[in-house]
Amino acid sequence: MGGRALHALRDVLRRPIAAADAVANRLYGWRYNPLYQSGTLAVLAFLVMLVTGLYLLLFYRIGSPYESVARMEGQLWAGRWIRALHRYAADLAILALAVHALRMFVQSRSFGPRTLAWVSGLVLAFGFFVCGWTGYVMLWDEQALVLAVEGARLLDALPIFSEPLVRTFVGERPIPSAFFFLNLFLHIALPVGLALLLWIHVARLARPVLLPPRGLLWGSVAALFVVSLVLPAPLGPEADPLLLPARVDLDLFYSFWLPASRELALPTVWGLFLAFSGALLLVPLWTRPARAERPAPSRSNERLCTGCLQCSLDCPYEAISMLPLGGDPARPVARVDAGLCVSCGICTGSCAPMAIGPAGETGRDELAAVRAFAAECSLGPGDLILVACRRGAGRVADQPTADGFVVFPVTCAGHLHTSVLEFLLRSGAGGVLVASCPPRDCWSREGPQWLDQRLYHGREAELRESLDRRRLAVVHAAEGELHRVRSALAELRDQIAALGPAEAEDRVE
């Protein structure tokens, strides 16, 4: 039941996310679309928090927390805007992590070998949240008091402490300095654990990208800096345990839960927290396809493998190793670790002899499929072919034809073997347009990147130089960018019309 509900929710969320991607692409282009860079923006925010936090630590005093923060606010040239930058970077981290998790869920990138990344990402997000919580308590203003009291109340529901923690904040005695030391210690120690979790999060990725492209990186830092100058971080009145305020300005990202938590019974609060956390942790199990529908991992035909290393180099998940055949180090062959393979099929496009790929989706299988496709559609000279990614490209892969182009769908542009394009071009087709996901949002991570390298830069398995590339084009389009595909189709049609019919010697029967 949970799995069906999550699948339905994913389908509901897919369209608004596709629409948001299309708008962001119009504004920034796919290279700098912040929605595609949500994970790297979270890392950037983390680094900004580390740098600014080290400066603020020099002026923070455990014995007088509120007064030390107030003195920072008086430093117009440094302390005030640095504290604001620290806070807004923390808000950006939570927002970016939420967007990143949502995208991974909607794109079904959470089960199988990706489970480790999903679970570690959830723990990472929770660590960010707790780190921010301790940071707000360190201010010791009215919001900090409410957070501290509610945190103590929640912990008191657990059979851990000999006497209730909430008594610390009733005002009968001064708040012990050990409380502020503990918050400071957690606020410093947690980032070390977060760095370790980040390493675990990307451990199964080849060439992990941890920071956004330079333009977006410096643009984001500049935006945070400007906001920090224009909108100083608020600091409420000093906390007074004898006077628990009736109304407190709460932070949208770290204190949003307080109004509901304070109104509910402790068992209810803990029950909701555990239910929500458990549901998130079980997403890989609930979203996993049925056994009969699960994509098969890649397999290597060792009799055909030439030991060229290309599939191992191109694999985005380091699932392919080169091992000696029969113990002969001079005869390395590709071996796939099924526990790491996500069945993206990138290796299919890497292998010139077509010796590797998911079951039924090797280069030989693709070539057989395109031959059957050409025969079924009765392709002839002048026909225009659209090779479309099933997951992007305006969802045009679901249509048999598009604006006069015959559609040949593929799982991923990086999965595509160049022999398919060679067959189409040499069979007399007027032209071929390959529509892929934007490189920053490929479900297989590096599909468009390797496609470009194979078509135009000689990377194996490369497209032959003798082919007329004027009849071949590539467009990067997200799911909500059908207009971009149509524009590329019209442009290629006009370009082919100006070229005239394909040369007879370039054709194959």
Side-chain angles (χ1 to χ4, degrees), residues 394-466:
R395 306 294 285 192
V396 74
D398 299 333
Q399 308 172 25
T401 60
D403 292 10
F405 280 63
V406 184
V407 179
F408 180 68
V410 293
T411 303
C412 173
H415 187 302
L416 182 67
H417 200 281
T418 53
S419 62
V420 172
L421 300 178
E422 180 178 350
F423 174 84
L424 291 173
L425 289 171
R426 291 193 181 279
S427 66
V432 177
L433 174 68
V434 182
S436 78
C437 296
R440 298 285 178 178
D441 194 45
C442 175
W443 289 28
S444 301
R445 291 190 61 233
E446 298 176 334
Q449 173 184 344
W450 297 146
L451 172 71
D452 178 75
Q453 291 290 317
R454 293 163 189 162
L455 297 187
Y456 301 109
H457 302 285
R459 189 182 187 93
E460 289 191 70
E462 72 278 8
L463 189 65
R464 297 187 184 183
E465 289 293 335
S466 59

Side-chain angles (χ1 to χ4, degrees), residues 8 37 66 123 136 278 296 344 376 412 501 504:
Q37 298 289 340
Y66 184 83
V123 179
Y136 276 103
C344 67
E376 180 181 354
C412 173

Side-chain angles (χ1 to χ4, degrees), residues 88-262:
Y88 294 137
D91 291 342
L92 173 62
I94 290 296
L95 178 62
L97 285 170
V99 172
H100 185 61
L102 181 63
R103 296 185 70 86
M104 296 302 101
F105 166 71
V106 171
Q107 294 180 352
S108 299
R109 295 164 68 177
S110 58
F111 65 89
R114 293 184 171 113
T115 299
L116 176 64
W118 176 263
V119 173
S120 61
L122 292 179
V123 179
L124 193 63
F126 182 74
F128 263 105
F129 185 81
V130 174
C131 189
W133 187 345
T134 59
Y136 276 103
V137 172
M138 286 170 59
L139 302 180
W140 205 235
D141 59 3
E142 289 182 342
Q143 180 182 208
L145 177 60
V146 175
L147 280 167
V149 170
E150 190 61 19
R153 191 174 79 96
L154 292 173
L155 290 176
D156 284 341
L158 304 177
I160 300 176
F161 304 99
S162 59
E163 57 181 69
L165 292 177
V166 75
R167 290 181 182 176
T168 307
F169 308 104
V170 298
E172 63 182 12
R173 58 181 181 269
I175 306 296
S177 59
F179 167 74
F180 296 105
F181 174 79
L182 177 61
N183 272 279
L184 178 60
F185 174 78
L186 290 175
H187 198 65
I188 296 174
L190 279 172
V192 178
L194 294 179
L196 176 61
L197 280 171
L198 179 61
W199 176 79
I200 295 174
H201 185 64
V202 300
R204 290 187 172 179
L205 302 181
R207 300 168 292 278
V209 178
L210 297 179
L211 290 175
R214 187 173 300 176
L216 182 58
L217 185 154
W218 292 114
S220 301
V221 172
L224 285 172
F225 175 71
V226 171
V227 171
S228 301
L229 290 177
V230 176
L231 298 174
L235 179 65
E238 184 175 4
D240 184 356
L242 294 174
L243 182 63
L244 193 61
R247 183 182 181 280
V248 179
D249 292 330
L250 301 177
D251 182 78
L252 175 63
F253 299 97
Y254 290 90
S255 307
F256 64 90
W257 55 277
L258 278 173
S261 175
R262 297 174 71 184

Side-chain angles (χ1 to χ4, degrees), residues 431-435 455-456 469-475 488 492 495:
V432 177
L433 174 68
V434 182
L455 297 187
Y456 301 109
R469 282 169 173 75
R470 295 175 299 173
R471 299 181 180 277
L472 174 67
V474 177
V475 61
L492 181 60
Q495 179 176 322

